[in-house]
């Protein structure tokens, strides 16, 4: 396998910096009683909690396959114990990840893996006709409720720390009015994957009204985005309102990030990635591809210069794979016209040219899509080059169409 050619060159790449949710398969349920029936009901509730987190669907229990599994949740439990929550006895459950994934596949549901977008929450509260921004250490009663609601959906949220930079970058009217430019600029220092702006109004009966805007992109993409933010309003107790809000936010993000399971997959697929210059780049890229929810396995097939071709076996469709791959800012698809390829190959001027595009053009590395009307005895093939490391004799990769991508190291 090609990856072993790199092992003697350097150590494994450093871990990828990402928001990893570690408790997706764990649940905590309050036990109203100590009898067996109460414990069985708690197990079913725990399974529902986990399935909601892992699938990204708040209404997953409406699925017929899921309802049947919840009636006998014991086989999905790998570990259990007892705990305490605010003085109430609880059942602590850990579920088997593989079995949960198989269940979601049978239910034709979605799967949202543990790599999740970090959400920066700007929270401004109005109480007694006064407004204030709530910072990370404000100690407001809304914050722990919001953290708990986010945790139940597997959402990694952070709040601004409220230091001098935050205070001078953004003011209350900006947040209350939802002005995108200052919100985006103030959010950039935290480098989140999404931004949630929440306006809270406390009522006389201790209930709260929440109106919110979700920007499901990085701050540097907010201003020029063609899509309006998702908006909503909820009300009730602090626990009810924050739970309703986080459920809607999680459902919206899951629609973007979760991958459809079940049904027929597209099988073999191939991608070629340029700008893989170091062993760290290679192992980071390989690990990123392997961890995609839509991917069953990844094998490196060819190496030429700084370009690597990977044969990918999919669990889902190519569309789901491309959509999931497109969420990672470290990789982007390269598209080059045939005329541009010729010009790049012949260009000897001193103009600044994308070195990756030029390399692809000069070496004819771009593989054209297969014409379905073309004779079957003329498949698209990689160009033969004596400098290419070919490990097909040991790997025997399946024939697949390759697409060209660019790695941002």
């Amino acid at each position: 396998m090609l990856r072993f050619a790199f092992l003697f060159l350097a150590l494994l790449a450093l871990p990828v910096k990402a928001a990893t949710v570690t408790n997706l398969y764990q649940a905590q349920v309050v036990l109203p009683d100590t009898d067996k029936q109460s414990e069985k009901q708690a197990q079913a509730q725990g399974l529902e909690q986990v399935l909601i987190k892992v699938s990204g669907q708040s209404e997953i229990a409406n699925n017929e396959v899921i309802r049947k599994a919840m009636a006998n949740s014991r086989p999905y439990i790998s570990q259990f114990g007892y705990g305490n929550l605010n003085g109430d006895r609880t059942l602590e459950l850990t579920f088997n990840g593989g079995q949960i994934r198989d269940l979601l596949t049978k239910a034709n549901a979605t799967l949202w893996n543990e790599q999740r977008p970090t959400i920066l929450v700007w929270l401004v509260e109005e109480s007694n006709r006064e407004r204030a921004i709530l910072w990370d250490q404000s100690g407001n009663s809304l914050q722990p409720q919001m953290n708990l609601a986010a945790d139940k959906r597997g959402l990694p949220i952070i709040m601004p720390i409220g230091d001098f930079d935050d205070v001078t970058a953004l003011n209350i009217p900006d947040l209350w009015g939802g002005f995108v430019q200052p919100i985006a600029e103030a959010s950039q220092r935290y480098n989140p994957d999404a931004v949630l702006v929440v306006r809270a109004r406390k009522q006389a009966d201790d209930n709260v009204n929440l109106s919110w805007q979700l920007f499901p992109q990085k701050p540097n993409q907010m201003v020029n985005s063609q899509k309006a933010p998702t908006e909503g309003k909820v009300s009730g107790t602090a626990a009810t309102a924050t739970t309703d809000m986080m459920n809607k936010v999680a459902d919206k993000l899951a629609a973007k990030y979760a991958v459809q399971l079940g049904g027929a997959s597209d099988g073999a697929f191939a991608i070629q990635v340029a700008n893989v210059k170091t062993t760290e780049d290679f192992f980071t890229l390989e690990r990123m591809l392997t961890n995609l929810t839509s991917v069953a396995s990844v094998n490196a097939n060819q190496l030429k210069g700084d370009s690597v071709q990977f044969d990918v076996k999919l669990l889902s469709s190519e569309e789901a794979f491309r959509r999931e791959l497109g969420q990672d800012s470290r990789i982007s698809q390269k598209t080059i016209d045939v005329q541009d390829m010729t010009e790049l190959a012949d260009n000897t001027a001193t103009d600044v040219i994308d070195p990756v595009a030029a390399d692809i053009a000069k070496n004819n590395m771009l593989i054209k899509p297969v014409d379905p009307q073309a004779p079957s005895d003329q498949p698209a093939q990689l160009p033969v080059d004596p400098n290419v490391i070919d490990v097909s004799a040991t790997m025997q990769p399946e024939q697949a169409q390759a697409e060209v991508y660019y790695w941002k190291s």
Side-chain angles (χ1 to χ4, degrees):
M1 191 178 295
L2 180 61
R3 72 188 307 274
F4 292 112
F6 290 88
L7 290 177
F8 68 94
L9 297 177
L11 297 175
L12 289 175
L14 295 175
V16 178
K17 294 181 180 180
T20 303
V21 181
T22 59
N23 65 343
L24 287 182
Y25 297 94
Q26 298 172 357
Q28 182 184 46
V29 184
V30 174
L31 280 171
D33 209 334
T34 57
D35 60 279
K36 290 186 178 179
Q37 183 61 30
S38 295
E39 189 162 308
K40 183 178 180 181
Q41 291 177 354
Q43 291 175 1
Q45 292 174 26
L47 177 58
E48 182 180 7
Q49 281 185 25
V50 166
L51 289 170
I52 289 174
K53 281 195 294 185
V54 176
S55 69
Q57 300 178 19
S58 59
E59 304 297 329
I60 188 68
N62 293 335
N63 185 292
E64 183 178 349
V65 175
I66 299 301
R67 285 201 306 269
K68 184 176 180 180
M70 288 175 59
N72 183 27
S73 57
R74 178 65 181 174
Y76 299 95
I77 300 172
S78 61
Q79 186 177 349
F80 74 94
Y82 301 94
N84 185 283
L85 178 64
N86 299 326
D88 295 321
R89 189 166 183 258
T90 60
L91 184 63
E92 313 284 336
L93 299 163
T94 300
F95 291 84
N96 183 285
Q99 291 184 349
I100 293 296
R101 181 169 181 150
D102 290 343
L103 175 60
L104 292 173
T105 302
K106 292 176 183 177
N108 290 324
T110 54
L111 178 67
W112 194 3
N113 67 18
E114 64 275 8
Q115 300 295 327
R116 301 207 170 180
T118 301
I119 306 167
L120 176 66
V121 180
W122 292 98
L123 176 58
V124 57
E125 181 186 64
E126 181 181 82
S127 180
N128 297 323
R129 297 184 179 181
E130 293 185 357
R131 296 172 181 172
I133 300 175
L134 303 184
W135 309 108
D136 183 45
Q137 300 298 326
S138 294
N140 185 276
S141 59
L142 270 178
Q143 187 174 347
Q145 295 291 348
M146 189 166 56
N147 289 339
L148 182 61
D151 184 68
K152 286 183 178 180
R153 291 305 304 267
L155 294 179
I157 66 173
I158 58 175
M159 294 187 69
I161 59 178
D163 61 2
F164 179 79
D165 290 340
D166 285 335
V167 172
T168 56
L170 197 60
N171 56 45
I172 293 173
D174 290 334
L175 284 173
W176 201 265
F179 294 106
V180 179
Q181 181 88 36
I183 294 173
E185 292 176 355
S187 300
Q188 286 189 20
R189 64 181 298 208
Y190 295 98
N191 193 30
D193 301 295
V195 177
L196 178 65
V197 179
V198 183
R199 294 172 285 276
R201 282 191 174 97
K202 278 195 171 182
Q203 305 300 307
D205 56 1
D206 289 334
N207 282 350
V208 62
N209 294 332
L210 302 180
S211 60
W212 51 272
Q213 290 178 301
L214 173 67
F215 299 87
Q217 62 268 118
K218 288 184 175 294
N220 60 2
Q221 301 170 341
M222 287 170 55
V223 176
N224 297 322
S225 175
Q226 300 300 313
K227 295 183 179 179
T230 301
E231 299 183 348
K233 293 182 179 181
V234 292
S235 61
T237 64
T240 300
T242 54
T243 297
D244 289 347
M245 178 182 68
M246 283 302 172
N247 278 336
K248 290 179 171 61
V249 168
D251 287 350
K252 182 65 177 180
L253 291 174
K256 179 179 181 181
Y257 290 97
V259 172
Q260 182 69 45
L261 297 178
S265 70
D266 285 350
F269 191 68
I271 66 169
Q272 185 173 298
V273 186
N275 199 42
V276 184
K277 296 181 177 179
T278 67
T279 53
E280 180 175 335
D281 287 342
F282 174 83
F283 286 114
T284 301
L285 170 60
E286 183 188 51
R287 184 166 56 246
M288 182 271 287
L289 292 172
T290 302
N291 288 338
L292 294 179
T293 305
S294 56
V295 170
S297 64
V298 174
N299 285 318
N301 179 25
Q302 285 187 335
L303 169 66
K304 180 178 181 181
D306 65 1
S307 295
V308 183
Q309 179 169 308
F310 292 93
D311 288 327
V312 182
K313 288 189 177 180
L314 299 177
L315 291 170
S316 188
S317 65
E318 292 180 11
E319 179 183 357
F321 170 78
R322 292 189 189 95
R323 180 165 60 88
E324 191 176 13
L325 193 62
Q327 306 301 336
D328 199 308
S329 61
R330 295 169 297 177
I331 190 168
S332 59
Q333 192 163 12
K334 300 291 290 186
T335 56
I336 305 173
D337 295 334
V338 175
Q339 182 178 356
D340 292 339
M341 291 173 62
T342 303
E343 291 177 357
L344 285 170
D346 297 336
N347 197 315
T348 57
T350 57
D351 296 342
V352 177
I353 301 174
D354 183 341
V356 175
D359 181 67
I360 294 173
K362 292 179 181 179
N363 293 284
N364 192 28
M365 292 291 287
L366 185 64
I367 299 176
K368 300 176 182 178
V370 177
D371 183 357
Q373 303 300 323
S376 59
D377 60 344
Q378 296 179 355
Q381 296 181 348
L382 285 170
V384 177
D385 190 303
N387 296 320
V388 174
I389 300 176
D390 188 355
V391 291
S392 58
T394 57
M395 292 182 52
Q396 297 179 345
E398 299 181 27
Q399 292 293 328
Q401 175 185 337
E403 294 183 357
V404 179
Y405 287 81
Y406 177 77
W407 178 251
K408 300 175 183 177
S409 55

